[in-house]
């Protein structure tokens, strides 16, 4: 169905694999458009409860935007490229109503690091490498990297990484809070699926609201506290809240319906 992606639905988790391994899974126009489409599917298809984004092969998650498409862009073309990516992919991932996590299986550079950072959280293989090398090309990150990296690892480290263009290894990325877990490559996908199975057993409406609230906190939105109060109240009006509290009192496991 897709030319540049592989998709597989496994127990409610859609595994989205960017599949251009001979080009380090670089994000060309087709990948961006197809990611946009598959994310629409994640939003609208009730059978999809969660998603994993990963890269094909053992070398790269995504080694950035496709540099071969940069030469003709110019000022307006550059802006349009960044704006289109934000709308079709990066903001859509961040604001997804279901958990979307990155399983980073190798180089995660430039737009690849930005793609991972747009996800709700990240896990990585031991061989993963992260960086924003745009400065080497006379560019800055354009798919949200200046904003999300600063949110995730703080101003000083973000400044250093983006100004030097240095790559960091998975362990350092973990120490900085950029990734949550580091595993052998062979165990990466299984771990991502295991985490998402655990989340899928929780109340889906509450999970959606956690995503909204935490995103607002990360963006420093003034209304974050007020919105948390509002959404906390909304949870009390769900069947799942009744089920969750009743199950606790009856000493049984809750079965949530997402209502
Ligand atoms: N855009 C387009 N093509 C890319 C690419 C990108 N961002 N990253 C890698 N490729 C291509 C290479 O051009 C090469 O293609 P070829 O076989 O047709 O020559 C192929 O992928 C393999 O990459 P190669 O550089 O030979 O592999 P390597 O193991 O020596 O190095 C990297 C791997 C990731 C360190 C290196 O490819 C790299 O630095 N990529 C660019 C990273 C970057 O600057 N990203 C930010 C873009 S804004």
């Amino acid at each position: 169905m897709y030319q540049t992606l592989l998709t597989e639905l496994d127990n409610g988790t859609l595994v989205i694999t960017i599949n251009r391994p001979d080009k380090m899974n670089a994000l060309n126009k087709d990948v961006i458009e197809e990611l946009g489409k598959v994310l629409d599917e994640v939003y609208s298809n009730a059978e999809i409860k969660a998603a994993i984004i990963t890269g094909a092969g053992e070398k790269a998650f995504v080694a950035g935007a496709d540099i071969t498409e940069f030469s003709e862009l110019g000022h307006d073309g550059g802006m349009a490229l960044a704006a289109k990516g934000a709308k079709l992919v990066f903001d859509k991932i961040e604001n997804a109503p279901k958990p979307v996590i990155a399983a980073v299986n190798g180089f995660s550079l430039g737009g690849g690091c930005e793609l991972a950072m747009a996800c709700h959280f990240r896990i990585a293989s031991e061989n993963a490498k992260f960086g924003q090398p745009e400065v080497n090309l006379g560019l800055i990150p354009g798919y949200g990297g200046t904003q999300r990296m600063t949110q995730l690892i703080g101003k000083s480290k973000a400044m250093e990484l983006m100004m030097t263009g240095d790559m960091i290894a998975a362990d350092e990325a973990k120490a900085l809070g950029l990734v949550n877990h580091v595993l052998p490559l062979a165990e990466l996908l299984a771990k991502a699926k295991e985490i998402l199975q655990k989340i899928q057993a929780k109340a889906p409406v509450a999970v959606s609201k956690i995503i909204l609230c935490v995103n607002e906190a990360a963006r420093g939105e003034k209304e974050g506290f007020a919105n948390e109060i509002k959404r906390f109240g909304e949870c009390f009006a769900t069947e799942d809240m009744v089920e969750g509290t009743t199950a606790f009192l009856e000493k049984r496991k809750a079965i949530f319906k997402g209502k």
Side-chain angles (χ1 to χ4, degrees):
M1 186 159 93
Y2 296 103
Q3 303 304 310
T4 63
L5 308 176
L6 303 170
T7 58
E8 189 201 358
L9 188 60
D10 180 3
N11 269 323
T13 295
L14 188 71
V15 182
I16 303 165
T17 305
I18 299 168
N19 189 29
R20 298 183 73 211
D22 53 329
K23 296 291 174 194
M24 300 275 157
N25 302 319
L27 301 175
N28 66 5
K29 195 168 162 285
D30 294 340
V31 177
I32 293 291
E33 279 171 7
E34 292 199 333
L35 280 173
K37 283 190 193 137
V38 82
L39 287 163
D40 289 341
E41 223 189 301
V42 171
Y43 272 60
S44 63
N45 183 343
E47 284 176 26
I48 301 172
K49 315 281 187 200
I52 296 168
I53 301 181
T54 192
E58 300 194 342
K59 266 192 101 170
F61 171 69
V62 168
D66 192 320
I67 300 170
T68 62
E69 293 181 347
F70 281 5
S71 55
E72 305 294 319
L73 289 179
H75 174 276
D76 292 355
M79 269 185 70
L81 180 89
K84 186 175 168 191
K87 180 163 181 271
L88 290 187
V89 177
F90 294 81
D91 293 353
K92 220 187 267 174
I93 293 172
E94 182 167 276
N95 298 318
K98 306 167 185 180
V100 181
I101 71 172
V104 178
N105 57 307
F107 287 112
S108 176
L109 303 174
C113 190
E114 291 170 298
L115 183 69
M117 292 192 297
C119 292
H120 297 141
F121 57 91
R122 293 140 288 288
I123 68 170
S125 57
E126 290 160 342
N127 65 321
K129 295 230 177 343
F130 295 81
Q132 296 291 159
E134 289 87 349
V135 72
N136 296 323
L137 306 170
L139 287 169
I140 66 169
Y143 284 146
T146 63
Q147 306 302 296
R148 292 194 180 98
M149 181 172 272
T150 309
Q151 290 164 2
L152 287 168
I153 66 172
K155 179 175 168 182
S156 298
K157 259 310 190 185
M159 284 280 194
E160 184 184 343
L161 282 182
M162 284 184 263
M163 291 197 284
T164 61
D166 280 351
M167 276 188 227
I168 55 170
D171 282 347
E172 191 177 348
K174 187 176 174 201
L176 289 172
L178 193 58
V179 302
N180 291 5
H181 306 279
V182 177
L183 305 115
L185 181 59
E187 295 168 27
L188 184 69
L189 261 192
K191 177 72 174 180
K193 288 178 183 177
E194 179 195 315
I195 296 171
L196 289 174
Q197 283 305 308
K198 186 185 269 191
I199 297 172
Q200 278 187 50
K202 312 298 176 192
V205 176
V207 169
S208 292
K209 290 182 191 298
I210 289 168
I211 294 169
L212 288 174
C213 289
V214 175
N215 279 339
E216 287 177 356
R219 290 195 288 257
E221 280 183 23
K222 279 205 298 280
E223 298 305 310
F225 280 95
N227 286 337
E228 182 190 279
I229 290 169
K230 193 169 92 171
R231 294 182 189 127
F232 181 72
E234 288 165 4
C235 288
F236 275 80
T238 63
E239 288 177 28
D240 282 348
M241 181 272 176
V242 176
E243 165 64 8
T245 49
T246 307
F248 176 80
L249 296 172
E250 291 175 355
K251 302 191 188 304
R252 63 172 174 83
K253 198 172 176 300
I255 298 167
F256 295 115
K257 294 187 192 141
K259 291 183 188 162

